[in-house]
Amino acid sequence: MQRYSAFSLLREGLSGHRGWRPAWTKAKPKSAYDAVIVGGGGHGLATAYYLAENHGLTRVAVLERGWIGGGNTGRNTTAVRSNYFYPESVALYDLSLRLYEGLSKELNYNVMLSQRGMLIAAHTPAQMEICARIANAMQINGVDGRLMSADEAQRRIPLLNQTEGARFKCLGGVWQGRAGVARHDAVAWGYARAASALGVDIIENCTVKDLTIEAGQITGVETNLGPIRTNRVGLAAAGATPGLAAMAGVRLPIHTYALQAFVSEPVKPILDTVLLYLGTGTYVSQSDKGELVFGGGLDRVPTHGQKGNLPAQETVISGLLEMFPAFAQLKLLRQWAGVVDVVPDSSPVIGPVGPAGLFVNCGWGTGGFKAIPAGGWLLSHLMATGEHHEISRPFDLDRFEHGRLIDEAAGSGIAH
Amino acid sequence: MQIFPCPFCGPRDETEFLFAAEAGKTRPEPAPDVSDAVWADYLYGNDAPKGTAREVWVHLTCGEFFVMTRDTTTREVKSCAALPGKAS
Ligand SMILES: Cc1cc2nc3c(=O)[nH]c(=O)nc-3n(C[C@H](O)[C@H](O)[C@H](O)COP(=O)(O)OP(=O)(O)OC[C@H]3O[C@@H](n4cnc5c(N)ncnc54)[C@H](O)[C@@H]3O)c2cc1C
Ligand SMILES: [Zn+2]
């Protein structure tokens, strides 16, 4: 692997940038692997990297039907945080945030993590009490979180709509200083490059069409590029996971919905945190290029089409204008949608399912970008050892049989 | 804006409707014989089909539940019908 550094940049700058090599190798499928991962999004690529790095397994392939990072990983609004409510969730998402904090160094690839903090803004005394409850839960669970006053919120975000007629005045809220944003493509590309350097095959334009099962054991996958033998398969295919699991007769507690995101034309720096309004459900941050990146709740129509509907757009955009009336002057540059895998308790499903050798890492729904390092860490542990890591154990599919749901939608009141 | 059909009120704006569940589930009985796995699948298991789907929706305006058959990729509505059963 060609290492990136200030020195390599200088050397290439002086020699006309002719020495850069492709960051990862575009591989062709071999006939057999020790482990196959379906889905070249962040979770699949991170799984491959940690299989090689943490567990020494390098005869590994990542099969991606399109291009890597072309799914939700390349479509999300890149908020990373660990401001969840339940101890199980905080353990999971804070593992992820801690891994993110060291990721650029670990991968020798700048994922542009920017810990600019995130405010979840409340508008009523009752909501402030909920925020206090979340902040307390976060502190008990050992992560940074605190209540923020209306004055401090106004100081940090001067453009907030605090006028007399404002429908949702900000009374303050819960603040996590270590939250922020990271570059989504860089996370996919950084993991791909590091995995490829350790010998993992990353195979694009390779669609898994069927799973081969003999006597209750996974023995391979059928693809458009031919059959591949393996006795370990990890599914990390977001909204496509239910269809893949069905090939092994497994039904998952997932509905698929479109989630939309929006980007405005770029403007001068006006917002240096991530902001979510409980009242409007809209959240927003400003990209390094100056664009406002924003989104909100799901489209309410189950779908597998990567396009959004108009009612959700209206809700999100009117929410943004309620928060920042001045943004009404901005033009929208782009709007798009991803198909997200939504579970009733808004927590992921990680664990073995169906035949021996089959594992899933899915159900991240609207909030799995922040979880990519942890998702990869935990799925690789499962695939390498056959056993749960203690952090993934509560997220096994069996929680639905035992009634031990981890209801983060109700617990932390957050959609993303 | 998409228009959905209600079998009772006719074509209406999509914002008047709410998806309830995938159609075709039958409650497993008798309760003492139902295993945790079967019950959990009844409560939570979905097919999330890509392509044609039969779904139970509610028209919030009139409060009636009905079955809608749609394509989950193109969003085309193929048919809608009242739920079977006696009117009361
Ligand atoms: C608009 C939007 C905004 C979001 N905002 C945030 C946010 O701010 N913060 C946050 O934490 N999360 C956010 N999310 C959620 C986050 O994007 C996802 O949870 C996360 O990216 C999931 O990663 P993944 O690797 O599991 O899935 P994906 O990145 O979707 O990767 C799955 C891959 O599997 C491939 N695949 C599917 N079927 C097959 C097959 N049969 N064979 C081979 N390959 C296959 C797909 O092509 C795809 O590339 C957002 C999502 C959306 C859509
Ligand atoms: Zn009606």
Side-chain angles (χ1 to χ4, degrees):
Chain A
M1 185 173 84
Q2 183 181 30
R3 284 192 70 78
Y4 299 147
S5 63
F7 175 72
S8 68
L9 194 59
L10 185 68
R11 191 190 55 216
E12 287 301 323
L14 294 174
S15 62
H17 292 288
R18 279 185 294 267
W20 297 118
R21 291 196 298 275
W24 68 89
T25 311
K26 297 211 183 261
K28 294 255 175 334
K30 301 193 181 81
S31 61
Y33 289 95
D34 291 336
V36 164
I37 295 147
V38 185
H43 283 275
L45 294 163
T47 304
Y49 169 71
Y50 292 121
L51 272 174
E53 175 68 21
N54 294 358
H55 303 283
L57 236 67
T58 55
R59 280 184 14 114
V60 171
V62 178
L63 311 182
E64 166 53 51
R65 70 176 169 194
W67 64 95
I68 61 167
N72 293 343
T73 298
R75 293 166 187 266
N76 80 91
T77 44
T78 77
V80 298
R81 56 184 178 82
S82 61
N83 49 1
Y84 283 76
F85 184 75
Y86 290 102
E88 295 88 342
S89 312
V90 176
L92 173 68
Y93 291 104
D94 206 59
L95 167 67
S96 209
L97 191 49
R98 291 195 309 275
L99 289 169
Y100 259 125
E101 287 170 336
L103 201 59
S104 292
K105 207 162 185 180
E106 158 128 26
L107 300 179
N108 178 237
Y109 200 95
N110 189 358
V111 302
M112 297 177 153
L113 176 69
S114 161
Q115 293 176 291
R116 54 186 71 176
M118 173 170 180
L119 175 66
I120 300 173
H123 322 287
T124 63
Q127 283 176 350
M128 277 306 277
E129 280 172 20
I130 294 292
C131 287
R133 180 169 174 263
I134 299 173
N136 289 342
M138 288 170 66
Q139 288 174 9
I140 290 168
N141 290 321
V143 301
D144 64 311
R146 66 175 171 86
L147 214 53
M148 183 178 277
S149 68
D151 281 352
E152 188 181 346
Q154 177 86 72
R155 253 198 329 277
R156 281 182 186 272
I157 313 169
L159 281 182
L160 272 186
N161 184 9
Q162 298 288 55
T163 54
E164 238 350 277
R167 183 158 173 214
F168 297 109
K169 272 197 186 172
C170 172
L171 297 190
V174 55
W175 170 259
Q176 184 179 28
R178 282 165 65 236
V181 292
R183 169 114 197 263
H184 49 12
D185 293 327
V187 172
W189 298 340
Y191 273 120
R193 170 171 172 267
S196 175
L198 292 172
V200 168
D201 280 356
I202 293 164
I203 305 162
E204 293 175 308
N205 301 312
C206 180
T207 306
V208 170
K209 296 177 173 297
D210 207 357
L211 303 173
T212 321
I213 299 156
E214 289 164 40
Q217 162 73 48
I218 280 278
T219 55
V221 296
E222 291 290 336
T223 77
N224 60 322
L225 305 179
I228 298 173
R229 274 180 290 116
T230 183
N231 54 23
R232 265 179 289 203
V233 173
L235 305 179
T241 313
L244 286 157
M247 297 168 187
V250 174
R251 263 158 51 102
L252 297 169
I254 287 178
H255 286 301
T256 54
Y257 292 97
L259 180 67
Q260 305 189 52
F262 308 81
V263 162
S264 77
E265 62 185 322
V267 286
K268 292 266 165 61
I270 43 174
L271 178 66
D272 65 356
T273 67
V274 183
L275 175 67
L276 167 75
Y277 254 36
L278 288 174
T280 61
T282 300
Y283 65 96
V284 55
S285 65
Q286 189 172 21
S287 77
D288 294 343
K289 281 187 284 185
E291 304 149 327
L292 292 160
V293 181
F294 60 100
L298 296 166
D299 290 18
R300 289 150 68 237
V301 184
T303 188
H304 284 277
Q306 288 173 316
K307 55 180 180 241
N309 70 8
L310 287 169
Q313 291 177 19
E314 197 175 335
T315 306
V316 172
I317 295 170
S318 56
L320 183 73
L321 300 190
E322 179 60 42
M323 296 153 73
F324 298 100
F327 291 180
Q329 300 167 41
L330 293 177
K331 294 189 182 65
L332 267 191
L333 270 194
R334 293 191 302 280
Q335 165 277 339
W336 65 90
V339 175
V340 295
D341 38 348
V342 175
V343 178
D345 63 355
S346 303
S347 288
V349 179
I350 310 170
V353 295
L358 182 63
F359 304 89
V360 293
N361 165 1
C362 61
W364 295 102
T366 59
F369 174 70
K370 67 175 84 69
I372 284 172
W377 188 278
L378 299 170
L379 180 59
S380 72
H381 184 99
L382 267 160
M383 292 180 74
T385 65
E387 306 281 329
H388 266 293
H389 187 285
E390 61 176 4
I391 292 181
S392 65
R393 183 71 196 82
F395 296 94
D396 193 282
L397 185 60
D398 69 3
R399 74 176 184 270
F400 292 93
E401 271 175 48
H402 301 153
R404 288 188 58 90
L405 305 198
I406 305 166
D407 197 347
E408 279 298 339
S412 53
I414 308 168
H416 300 275
Chain B
M1 195 78 74
Q2 188 170 9
I3 302 295
F4 283 150
C6 168
F8 306 96
C9 313
R12 295 293 191 109
D13 195 300
E14 65 177 287
T15 54
E16 293 184 13
F17 295 82
L18 192 66
F19 167 76
E22 290 179 358
K25 279 187 176 181
T26 8
R27 185 186 168 110
E29 309 231 62
D33 299 347
V34 178
S35 69
D36 290 350
V38 170
W39 186 246
D41 182 62
Y42 169 65
L43 285 185
Y44 301 111
N46 302 312
D47 293 327
K50 184 173 183 172
T52 303
R54 279 187 76 238
E55 300 166 332
V56 180
W57 283 71
V58 57
H59 184 207
L60 298 168
T61 320
C62 71
E64 290 285 351
F65 286 79
F66 64 96
V67 176
M68 183 150 66
T69 306
R70 295 186 309 129
D71 187 303
T72 59
T73 309
T74 64
R75 302 195 180 201
E76 182 195 355
V77 177
K78 308 218 161 139
S79 67
C80 78
L83 286 171
K86 271 196 292 221
S88 58

